[in-house]
Amino acid sequence: MEKDDDVVVFGMYDSPIEANIVKGVLESNGVIAGVMGDSTANALMQGFSQGAMRVVVFRKDLQKAQQIMDSTPPEELNIED
């Protein structure tokens, strides 16, 4: 059974920088977010595989998080493709 306080993956990113920018945008707009896979040991020993960083939010905030990111101009994110 799905619960509002379940943690769900909002998005997957190639680097901790990208993931933390998204996390910061979400949090500055009132959505609690976290980054999973942010490991210095992983970065030093193995590097990051594609999509290794996951931004997570509570299920109840998933729609709001998407709306925030959809309305945030790309230049504000400053993420290079």
Side-chain angles (χ1 to χ4, degrees):
M1 177 179 215
E2 295 179 355
K3 297 179 184 175
D4 282 348
D5 60 350
D6 288 344
V7 174
V8 296
V9 175
F10 169 73
M12 296 187 295
Y13 303 89
D14 293 337
S15 76
I17 294 170
E18 290 174 310
N20 280 291
I21 289 171
V22 171
K23 176 183 181 274
V25 169
L26 294 175
E27 289 186 336
S28 69
N29 285 280
V31 173
I32 297 171
V35 176
M36 295 178 61
D38 193 358
S39 168
T40 303
N42 187 31
L44 295 174
M45 303 299 244
Q46 300 171 358
F48 290 98
S49 61
Q50 189 171 21
M53 308 305 296
R54 290 168 176 77
V55 174
V56 295
V57 298
F58 290 115
R59 182 176 308 283
K60 66 182 177 187
D61 295 329
L62 188 58
Q63 185 175 3
K64 181 179 178 182
Q66 190 60 57
Q67 291 170 341
I68 290 165
M69 295 309 296
D70 287 347
S71 66
T72 301
E75 60 272 8
E76 206 172 299
L77 295 175
N78 204 18
I79 298 173
E80 296 179 18
D81 292 327

